[in-house]
Amino acid sequence: MQKEQSETNKKAWSYRAYEWWEKKSGTPKDAAADMKCNPEKYLRKHLGYMGDVKGKNIAVLLGSNGRKAIPLALLGASVTIVDISPENQRYALEVAREAGVEIEYIVSDVFEIDLDRLRHNYDVVYLEGGILHYFVDLNPFARIVYDLLKTGGRLVLNDFHPIRKFLRFAENQGVEIEGDYFDSRLFDGAVAYRNMFPQSERSEFPDCLLRLWNMGEIISAIASCGLVIEQLIEEPRTEGNTFLPGSFTLVANKYIFQQQPF
Ligand SMILES: C[S@@+](CC[C@H](N)C(=O)[O-])C[C@H]1O[C@@H](n2cnc3c(N)ncnc32)[C@H](O)[C@@H]1O
């Protein structure tokens, strides 16, 4: 099932993604110039969870167009992106070249990476903004994160808050309850940038196949793979209704000991 989901999402993220990044962030040259001015701005408070990144090996999984990985490389980290979309890779590598940094960009389903080469390689595994809904089961994903990390390494995982499973936000800032927090079904959903294109072109965009997770499922998957959760920070929405959570960041560490199965 993961294979089918990943193939569907690869198709979705390979359709006009390069064009979208140029629309959104400008030419690779413009995007690189902005990153070089202030790389920290792109990493927001997540940088604070990574310590001094200079000299660290960082894997940015589902790292898309490089808007996190390239600023990390500008700050002196050695960065590997894993992402399923060749269109994202093309944009990211062009931005990296313009920014004067080298990054490794692996175009692959995260579930099919070469663990023999990458195991125990990373000080930090970083994922951000629209991640877990691409997975049909969180346990194999958590296991891959565990395997990629060195002992003493750290996961920084930021994603949309699961409250979105049952809240809908109207344009007038109204909030409605709709949906089921415990819904475990896969569903078709528009790729993130589809609605930024003219209405007349939207039907041509292949859909993503998504699964929304609740907080208990997320925490349980990360904890049960052997990582020790240090913090779970719930962050307020940034555009309206700021009394509700919009995202969360989970920080978890890989320590030396490994718990025996209970
Ligand atoms: C919304 S983006 C995540 C945001 C990203 N961190 C950024 O900086 O823009 C989701 C990314 O996940 C990638 N993706 C989806 N499923 C994947 C999978 N199974 N393996 C690797 N990448 C995947 C997509 O190609 C897309 O670039």
Side-chain angles (χ1 to χ4, degrees):
M1 194 60 221
Q2 182 61 59
K3 213 173 171 56
E4 184 192 329
Q5 187 189 26
S6 295
E7 271 166 20
T8 304
N9 294 330
K10 178 176 180 139
K11 242 182 245 152
W13 274 96
S14 302
Y15 186 72
R16 298 178 76 176
Y18 185 97
E19 189 185 336
W20 162 241
W21 295 127
E22 275 211 315
K23 262 184 207 281
K24 183 175 189 275
S25 309
T27 63
K29 191 171 184 170
D30 293 342
D34 196 60
M35 286 177 190
K36 278 166 82 174
C37 278
N38 186 359
E40 290 91 349
K41 174 184 80 176
Y42 284 80
L43 298 160
R44 301 182 290 149
K45 54 192 168 312
H46 302 156
L47 194 55
Y49 305 125
M50 300 184 205
D52 181 2
V53 296
K54 196 162 190 229
K56 285 199 170 107
N57 272 355
I58 302 184
V60 185
L61 305 184
L62 286 74
S64 186
N65 66 346
R67 71 194 169 96
K68 303 293 169 186
I70 296 163
L72 284 167
L74 284 165
L75 294 171
S78 177
V79 187
T80 302
I81 293 180
V82 178
D83 196 283
I84 207 163
S85 160
E87 288 249 329
N88 286 344
Q89 181 202 37
R90 181 156 72 95
Y91 188 82
L93 290 183
E94 288 178 17
V95 177
R97 192 179 330 113
E98 294 289 349
V101 291
E102 274 197 26
I103 57 169
E104 182 184 23
Y105 199 117
I106 301 172
V107 177
S108 169
D109 185 346
V110 74
F111 294 98
E112 291 182 1
I113 54 173
D114 180 2
L115 271 179
D116 289 341
R117 180 171 78 83
L118 302 172
R119 186 176 279 112
H120 304 163
N121 211 25
Y122 295 99
D123 301 289
V124 177
V125 172
Y126 177 36
L127 305 98
E128 178 271 344
I131 300 292
L132 300 177
H133 55 212
Y134 294 113
F135 307 145
V136 78
D137 183 350
L138 294 184
N139 293 312
F141 156 71
R143 185 68 222 182
I144 287 169
V145 170
Y146 185 90
D147 284 345
L148 289 174
L149 284 169
K150 292 178 186 170
T151 300
R154 168 169 282 192
L155 164 68
V156 178
L157 165 66
N158 166 268
D159 211 342
F160 304 124
H161 197 284
I163 203 167
R164 73 176 167 146
K165 290 189 78 171
F166 66 94
L167 291 186
R168 296 288 162 268
F169 299 95
E171 269 175 21
N172 65 4
Q173 302 290 325
V175 187
E176 284 173 11
I177 293 185
E178 178 196 298
D180 175 356
Y181 186 64
F182 299 100
D183 194 349
S184 61
R185 282 173 300 179
L186 284 165
F187 65 94
D188 295 331
V191 71
Y193 51 87
R194 185 192 69 176
N195 290 348
M196 308 300 169
F197 283 78
Q199 185 76 45
S200 58
E201 296 171 20
R202 291 184 195 166
S203 63
E204 291 152 32
F205 281 72
D207 271 341
C208 286
L209 189 57
L210 305 172
R211 155 63 152 112
L212 299 182
W213 298 94
N214 62 47
M215 194 59 96
E217 291 167 328
I218 296 166
I219 296 289
S220 299
I222 301 301
S224 66
C225 78
L227 294 176
V228 177
I229 294 170
E230 183 174 296
Q231 292 187 67
L232 172 68
I233 306 108
E234 295 178 285
E235 294 124 3
R237 285 172 56 82
T238 50
E239 286 162 21
N241 296 301
T242 51
F243 58 94
L244 289 168
S247 60
F248 72 91
T249 303
L250 186 149
V251 180
N253 300 322
K254 177 169 173 176
Y255 293 126
I256 292 165
F257 70 86
Q258 195 163 12
Q259 171 87 36
Q260 293 303 311
F262 200 70

